[in-house]
Amino acid sequence: MNKSKLALLLLAAAVPVTALLPLPDFWIAQLNYIGLYALVSLGLVLLTGVGGLTSFGQAAFVGIGAYTTAWLTLNLGMSPWLTVFVGLGLTALSALVVGFITLRMSGHYLPLATIAWGLALYYLMGNLDALGKYDGLLGLKSLSIGSLDIGQGRWFFVLTWAIVLAGAVALLNLLDSRPGRAIRSLKTGSQMAEAMGISTFRYKVTIFLIAALFASVAGWLLAHFQRTVNPSAFGLKMGIEYLFMTVVGGVGYVWGAIVGAGLIKLLDDYLQVALPALIGTSGSYEVIVFGVAMVLVLKYLPDGLWSVVASKFPRPQRVVDWHGADDLPTRSKPATGDLVLQVDKIRKQFGGLTAVNDISFEIAAGQIVGLIGPNGAGKSTTFNLITGVLGKTSGQVKFRGEEITALASRDISRKGMARTFQHVKMIPDMTVLENVALGAYTRGHKGVLASMLRINHAEEQRLMKEAQRQLERIGMGAYLHEQAGNLAMGPQRLMEIARALCCDPALLLLDEPAAGLRHKEKQALAQVLRQLQGEGMSILLVEHDMDLVMDVCDHLVVMEFGTLLTRGTPAEIQASPAVRAAYLGTEH
Ligand code: ADP
Ligand code: MG
């Protein structure tokens, strides 16, 4: 048994033991509140900490869960064990509406929209007669099973913390899975994730939904614990406090949610008494202290309190036990000589600037084609037009005979065109193996729920086996468990190639793979490229290093100022006066 499983087991055992301890009722009630807040904060760890999306509106989702059960049990006499699902349904509906409207837009739209959403719901709850206006709804029943009241004190403590622990385990399982790796890639920007075939929009909506559902369950519990609901518990101030808890505890750390919830709850209670006594008048001064504390934490401990604990306990190394796993199915490959890529007069205009001016060329299976030219010639833009990152002004691209001109980059990647980036894009806090497994995303199918419940084991084994195989294929077998962010530039670039190979491509596009590499590393890279070619891979290589290009390429396409200068074999290009002029004129 590894350390984290042991810690989890101890924690699970601590819940009933705590319930049996002769603690004063006050402390049990405090722990109940902390559990409820931790549940909301857990959702925010996923949304904000891991996914990089900020929501101030979680309190509103707590409110939906609370008011739904309050209204239904009081007015229709429904059982609370049913109303929780109605609450989840209503929460899901509103989260999807808010998410679909705002998550396509980048930047600050989500935080702003969640503030608006939080305020709107607060005033709605406070003004509807049916919801008791600002007095709220009173006289809810405690949760019970038969005649056993489990809605208060120690029973409620066990119930709440069992849900919190189950939620934490589900999140930990999710983060260590195929969809989890996709979620963790969101923070690095959408370009890399989309190039791996991931719909970033879908995952943003998904984590927004999961966070909202966690909040809704907390609201359901809270309503029956307090036996009354009123808008003040679900306003923007609470929304901000939930975010505090997550940030202070440790954005990105599942256990940090519990630490943060505990700390903020206790501090909140203390300050609400201490500050007015100190200042002499009553008021919500604690908000000011929280504001200052949050700024300090963000400045001096940006990963939150839990990061200190986490650094003391390094993550246990993944056990390599997938040798017996089945291989992933592979796609059919083009026969040697077949045309893999046909680029026909593609053009890109940025306003008045023609960055790519009617460029045409082809790549046959098993060929390495180099795309060269001075800085600013339009190589990267050409690359982005082919891979679907940028839309074309005009022109056509065919991949294996099929028209792909209008496809998005994730759909092109699904067809078997894989790429690396001029500036390495990876998830620094994941291991090399996990980063590379991200490349095999489109070859797996298990979703979020299966991952949370850990019924994705067989598929995970297959994905890990493939990632290891691709790393070994290019000589990176010794780096499996290294944290990707700690790698030097050379291994980082090789890791990107292994990740691209994981999608089982028929064409590999490499954007300046030798940039920043030392001489030895360049030789190793050339060796890898020749070996891949020997295995039948077709490669489009954008590269500045002329030695490497002349060494490995079969055919060269030379660009200057967006236009095609000339094309030919390396020997022909080296002899060309026009190419010499272009390079001597601009680079030297
Ligand atoms: P290379 O990769 O060959 O160095 P690029 O394809 O990056 O060249 O750039 C080609 C030209 O297009 C340059 O003049 C560059 O300034 C311009 N360019 C590239 N991207 C954009 C953009 N998003 N908006 C406007 N101009 C751009
Ligand atoms: Mg470039």
Side-chain angles (χ1 to χ4, degrees):
M1 183 185 300
N2 66 33
K3 267 192 236 163
S4 50
K5 281 213 182 101
L6 188 70
L8 206 66
L9 220 64
L10 285 177
L11 217 59
V15 171
V17 170
T18 311
L20 291 173
L21 288 180
L23 285 176
D25 287 347
F26 169 76
W27 280 105
I28 293 290
Q30 286 293 73
L31 287 171
N32 288 344
Y33 276 111
I34 292 172
L36 294 174
Y37 294 163
L39 200 54
V40 184
S41 184
L42 274 178
L44 276 177
V45 164
L46 181 71
L47 183 68
T48 308
V50 180
L53 302 171
T54 307
S55 165
F56 291 96
Q58 294 314 100
F61 293 120
V62 180
I64 294 182
Y67 269 98
T68 304
T69 191
W71 196 86
L72 288 177
T73 51
L74 289 173
N75 291 296
L76 303 184
M78 265 174 88
S79 154
W81 302 107
L82 291 179
T83 59
V84 64
F85 296 105
V86 183
L88 285 171
L90 285 175
T91 306
L93 197 68
S94 41
L96 287 176
V97 170
V98 176
F100 266 99
I101 294 172
T102 56
L103 287 168
R104 268 195 206 283
M105 299 180 268
S106 57
H108 300 301
Y109 286 104
L110 184 70
L112 289 178
T114 54
I115 289 175
W117 159 246
L119 286 174
L121 217 75
Y122 175 75
Y123 288 112
L124 188 70
M125 292 184 285
N127 285 294
L128 279 183
D129 278 323
L131 299 182
K133 296 199 163 181
Y134 285 98
D135 294 332
L137 299 172
L138 305 149
L140 270 80
K141 283 210 193 69
S142 199
L143 290 175
S144 60
I145 300 174
S147 60
L148 178 67
D149 179 359
I150 63 161
Q152 304 296 318
R154 282 162 166 75
W155 279 112
F156 186 75
F157 169 82
V158 173
L159 173 69
T160 304
W161 281 89
I163 294 177
V164 171
L165 282 184
V169 171
L171 284 191
L172 286 172
N173 286 346
L174 173 63
L175 288 177
D176 181 23
S177 73
R178 170 183 170 272
R181 288 186 288 275
I183 291 168
R184 290 166 76 172
S185 75
L186 292 177
K187 250 203 208 168
T188 62
S190 61
Q191 231 190 65
M192 187 268 278
E194 294 276 334
M196 301 300 134
I198 294 162
S199 164
T200 50
F201 174 67
R202 214 190 92 204
Y203 276 107
K204 285 179 184 174
V205 172
T206 303
I207 58 177
F208 190 62
L209 178 66
I210 295 174
L213 294 179
F214 271 63
S216 180
V217 173
W220 171 73
L221 283 166
L222 183 71
H224 291 284
F225 178 54
Q226 294 191 326
R227 307 177 72 166
T228 143
V229 293
N230 68 69
S232 67
F234 313 119
L236 193 58
K237 176 175 173 269
M238 262 327 278
I240 295 174
E241 265 185 47
Y242 286 128
L243 205 57
F244 271 155
M245 295 174 196
T246 313
V247 170
V248 169
V251 285
Y253 293 100
V254 168
W255 301 122
I258 296 174
V259 174
L263 209 70
I264 298 292
K265 168 66 182 153
L266 297 181
L267 204 63
D268 197 4
D269 288 356
Y270 173 75
L271 292 176
Q272 272 184 29
V273 178
L275 286 183
L278 203 69
I279 296 167
T281 54
S282 61
S284 300
Y285 300 113
E286 70 278 3
V287 180
I288 302 169
V289 177
F290 283 153
V292 175
M294 176 130 129
V295 171
L296 290 178
V297 168
L298 283 176
K299 179 154 173 49
Y300 294 105
L301 211 61
D303 292 331
L305 293 173
W306 191 259
S307 65
V308 181
V309 183
S311 66
K312 299 267 183 299
F313 299 94
R315 246 177 300 162
Q317 202 171 62
R318 191 182 284 270
V319 185
V320 179
D321 58 355
W322 45 74
H323 292 301
D326 293 337
D327 287 328
L328 290 171
T330 55
R331 70 180 94 237
S332 70
K333 297 292 179 323
T336 317
D338 284 0
L339 279 187
V340 179
L341 186 74
Q342 292 157 278
V343 178
D344 186 19
K345 292 210 183 102
I346 52 169
R347 184 185 191 84
K348 181 67 182 180
Q349 238 148 327
F350 293 113
L353 175 85
T354 308
V356 175
N357 191 353
D358 295 345
I359 294 290
S360 306
F361 63 91
E362 303 82 37
I363 302 178
Q367 249 190 340
I368 302 186
V369 173
L371 182 60
I372 63 171
N375 258 327
K379 304 180 297 291
S380 290
T381 309
T382 302
F383 208 91
N384 286 334
L385 293 178
I386 296 171
T387 50
V389 172
L390 289 172
K392 297 156 204 64
T393 307
S394 62
Q396 263 198 348
V397 180
K398 279 189 184 170
F399 180 54
R400 305 186 68 177
E402 189 185 347
E403 168 92 37
I404 58 160
T405 310
L407 294 186
S409 83
R410 68 167 177 278
D411 299 318
I412 293 177
S413 119
R414 282 174 181 273
K415 294 197 175 294
M417 190 193 290
R419 67 167 294 181
T420 64
F421 293 87
Q422 183 171 346
H423 305 285
V424 174
K425 293 185 197 297
M426 56 173 178
I427 308 172
D429 64 354
M430 280 192 339
T431 64
V432 170
L433 185 75
E434 291 162 346
N435 266 283
V436 171
L438 190 62
Y441 175 82
T442 53
R443 299 170 78 189
H445 307 283
K446 292 276 186 256
V448 167
L449 210 56
S451 304
M452 284 181 154
L453 299 173
R454 264 268 186 271
I455 49 177
N456 58 346
H457 185 68
E459 183 180 281
E460 276 293 293
Q461 300 284 78
R462 285 202 291 275
L463 293 174
M464 288 300 155
K465 185 181 176 190
E466 175 70 3
Q468 181 178 14
R469 195 169 72 86
Q470 298 301 352
L471 277 163
E472 282 168 355
R473 184 176 177 190
I474 60 163
M476 286 273 291
Y479 290 90
L480 299 189
H481 307 292
E482 199 89 32
Q483 201 166 314
N486 295 341
L487 292 183
M489 187 55 90
Q492 271 185 21
R493 292 206 178 271
L494 287 177
M495 176 180 78
E496 274 211 327
I497 296 178
R499 185 179 67 197
L501 289 173
C502 256
C503 99
D504 187 28
L507 175 66
L508 197 58
L509 292 92
L510 309 176
D511 197 352
E512 302 208 17
L517 262 54
R518 291 188 298 254
H519 184 64
K520 271 252 160 65
E521 294 175 322
K522 282 182 188 169
Q523 286 178 324
L525 177 68
Q527 179 58 36
V528 165
L529 296 184
R530 266 188 241 105
Q531 177 201 327
L532 288 173
Q533 182 183 33
E535 293 165 14
M537 183 66 71
S538 326
I539 299 173
L540 176 64
L541 178 68
V542 170
E543 187 45 68
H544 260 301
D545 189 295
M546 283 307 131
D547 292 338
L548 179 73
V549 169
M550 296 298 167
D551 180 14
V552 301
C553 292
D554 306 301
H555 187 86
L556 293 178
V557 177
V558 190
M559 286 179 77
E560 189 191 20
F561 303 124
T563 46
L564 185 89
L565 190 63
T566 182
R567 34 195 285 194
T569 64
E572 286 164 359
I573 296 301
Q574 267 172 318
S576 158
V579 175
R580 279 170 194 248
Y583 272 88
L584 290 174
T586 50
E587 280 217 314
H588 296 278

